[in-house]
């Protein structure tokens, strides 16, 4: 499972439209703009770290350890600023404080990895 850094994910969340279905006009595929464009979020998945295979758990834990607390707080703040993501977490009995990592899959699914306080 390829994980993006929390800072990169913060950028994605900051630029995500309120509706995941909205898409801007796509630039030509061979232009530099098309290659560096922020991914479009089409769906949201919330996964507890314990549900991941052991290898993926190790990857997530390694990335989390490399990130600073400031980056994690920024990510959580952006989540709190997005009503749809916040509501999806609350529907599962979670909040942004449970989110430890995020990833945008190639199909446009934003995956939030959570960890309940132990």
């Amino acid at each position: 499972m390829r994980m993006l850094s929390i800072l990169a994910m913060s950028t994605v969340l900051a630029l995500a439209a309120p509706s995941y279905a909205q898409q801007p006009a796509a630039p030509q595929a061979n232009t530099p703009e098309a290659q560096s464009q922020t991914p479009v979020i089409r769906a949201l998945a919330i996964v507890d770290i314990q549900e991941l295979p052991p290898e993926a758990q190790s990857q997530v834990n390694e990335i989390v350890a490399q990130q600073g607390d400031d980056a994690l707080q920024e990510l959580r703040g952006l989540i709190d600023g997005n009503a749809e993501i916040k509501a999806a977490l609350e529907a599962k009995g979670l909040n942004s404080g449970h989110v430890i990592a995020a990833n945008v899959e190639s199909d446009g699914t934003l995956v939030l990895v959570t960890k309940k306080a132990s």
Side-chain angles (χ1 to χ4, degrees):
M1 176 182 200
R2 182 179 58 87
M3 297 298 295
L4 297 176
S5 73
I6 291 177
L7 287 175
M9 198 57 242
S10 297
T11 302
V12 170
L13 288 174
L15 298 175
S19 173
Y20 300 122
Q22 290 181 339
Q23 278 186 277
Q28 296 294 324
N30 293 333
T31 66
E33 182 182 354
Q35 295 170 357
S36 66
Q37 187 178 30
T38 303
V40 175
I41 298 172
R42 295 190 174 99
L44 176 64
I46 300 169
V47 181
D48 188 84
I49 193 166
Q50 296 301 315
E51 297 172 14
L52 299 173
E55 311 83 47
Q57 289 182 31
S58 295
Q59 276 186 321
V60 170
N61 286 328
E62 183 177 317
I63 290 169
V64 170
Q66 291 174 359
Q67 301 299 318
D69 287 337
D70 290 342
L72 185 57
Q73 291 306 317
E74 181 180 354
L75 173 62
R76 290 172 174 169
L78 290 167
I79 289 169
D80 286 336
N82 186 304
E84 289 183 67
I85 296 173
K86 187 176 176 181
L89 284 166
E90 289 173 351
K92 290 190 164 234
L94 302 168
N95 60 50
S96 64
H98 293 103
V99 177
I100 59 169
N103 181 48
V104 177
E105 300 290 328
S106 60
D107 67 355
T109 300
L110 170 61
V111 179
L112 298 179
V113 180
T114 61
K115 184 175 186 178
K116 292 188 178 183
S118 45

